[in-house]
Amino acid sequence: MTQQTEKPAMAVYVTAGFATAPNFLDEFADKLVARLMQEGISARAVIHFPYGDWHRSKTKQLIEIASDMWRHTHRRRTKFGGIDVARRIRQDAAADERLLLIGHSAGAVAALIAAQLLRGEGRTIAGVIQIGSPRCAVPAALQDVVLNIEGVHPETKRRDVIPYFGTWGGLSLRKWFTLGWHRTKHAPVQRITLPLIGGHPDYFRSGAPYRWKERTNLQAVVDVIWRWLQTREEETNHAGHYQSHDGT
């Protein structure tokens, strides 16, 4: 009989985007951790503002966000949000904690950059979840651990506008050795369109009128994240089961 070992605890880092209110993500972080704990995953959450909250200069934030996106797209070392998130995690996350990075808007770009840096240092990345994120190239090594969530109003079909910024595209080799533009070359494998009442700022609303089919926006986001994590856990356990039987 195989003895089941307890998984290391999970540290959830929730990263805010441009000019976000200081308490905007508190309820979301609390609800997500409660759900993880309910499902038997020891977890804690840290809310971080890689570009500052709404008290900091909006002009400075926009400059830093634009710089990070441009430098990341052109595969140059970024200077601001992602570096800041990675620094925070190095300071207070235990070496054996699995890292779940969840970013909203520009915070999702910072989360991805931080995950790339930390994975290169040997940290375990349980997942990177981008919510209402501008499109930014996902490194091949991370494409299987990134989930992209984009809101669309279920009645008007109006989509969140922020994901129209940026690109996942890149040049790819086509027939007859010609180069062509592939618009999802660097996209995350898992992309979900989520019914959302409201718009870009409303993914984490929990009251009326932000409710669709008996679920609030916040409940819908937490449910999607949990289902995705559960699927990843099952796939990882399944792969581990086969490895234990073939001796590798």
Side-chain angles (χ1 to χ4, degrees):
M1 184 174 178
T2 305
Q3 185 174 1
Q4 203 136 21
T5 57
E6 187 177 346
K7 282 188 174 292
M10 182 178 288
V12 182
Y13 284 82
V14 184
T15 55
F18 169 71
T20 302
N23 61 352
F24 178 67
L25 294 164
D26 289 4
E27 185 179 8
F28 166 68
D30 290 344
K31 294 287 187 185
L32 179 61
V33 166
R35 179 66 178 271
L36 294 173
M37 298 286 281
Q38 178 185 332
E39 301 291 349
I41 298 175
S42 176
R44 64 182 182 89
V46 176
I47 298 171
H48 191 57
F49 296 81
Y51 302 103
D53 62 21
W54 67 5
H55 293 104
R56 185 168 181 255
S57 164
K58 294 179 176 60
T59 301
K60 289 181 179 178
Q61 290 188 50
L62 286 173
I63 290 171
E64 292 176 2
I65 291 166
S67 171
D68 276 353
M69 288 189 64
W70 187 89
R71 296 181 76 87
H72 178 72
T73 298
H74 293 85
R75 299 185 182 182
R76 298 186 182 184
R77 182 175 175 82
T78 59
K79 296 181 177 181
F80 301 106
I83 299 295
D84 191 61
V85 174
R87 184 187 301 117
R88 174 65 187 271
I89 292 173
R90 292 188 195 105
Q91 287 173 349
D92 64 22
D96 63 343
E97 282 184 302
R98 295 181 294 156
L99 303 175
L100 177 64
L101 283 70
I102 304 174
H104 174 243
S105 195
V109 178
L112 178 66
I113 294 169
Q116 185 177 10
L117 293 171
L118 294 165
R119 192 178 220 190
E121 297 168 7
R123 296 301 304 257
T124 301
I125 307 298
V128 179
I129 298 170
Q130 299 183 302
I131 301 172
S133 173
R135 295 184 180 184
C136 58
V138 178
L142 286 174
Q143 284 184 334
D144 63 332
V145 299
V146 175
L147 170 65
N148 184 277
I149 301 173
E150 179 182 335
V152 59
H153 197 288
E155 295 170 346
T156 66
K157 306 305 179 186
R158 182 174 296 172
R159 304 176 81 90
D160 181 356
V161 298
I162 296 301
Y164 285 96
F165 292 92
T167 182
W168 288 321
L171 293 174
S172 293
L173 195 62
R174 294 184 173 178
K175 288 183 179 180
W176 314 112
F177 302 101
T178 60
L179 287 174
W181 185 256
H182 189 328
R183 65 184 183 86
T184 58
K185 180 178 180 179
H186 302 296
V189 174
Q190 297 295 321
R191 306 192 295 274
I192 292 176
T193 301
L194 186 70
L196 177 75
I197 303 299
H200 181 69
D202 301 318
Y203 287 90
F204 312 112
R205 307 292 186 191
S206 61
Y210 302 101
R211 182 181 295 272
W212 172 252
K213 292 187 175 178
E214 305 306 317
R215 282 198 313 180
T216 64
N217 289 354
L218 187 148
Q219 289 171 327
V221 171
V222 169
D223 286 348
V224 164
I225 291 172
W226 166 245
R227 286 199 301 270
W228 182 74
L229 286 172
Q230 189 177 38
T231 299
R232 281 193 48 76
E233 294 278 322
E234 289 171 355
E235 289 173 350
T236 301
N237 292 339
H238 194 59
H241 172 77
Y242 275 101
Q243 286 178 353
S244 67
H245 281 280
D246 65 18
T248 59

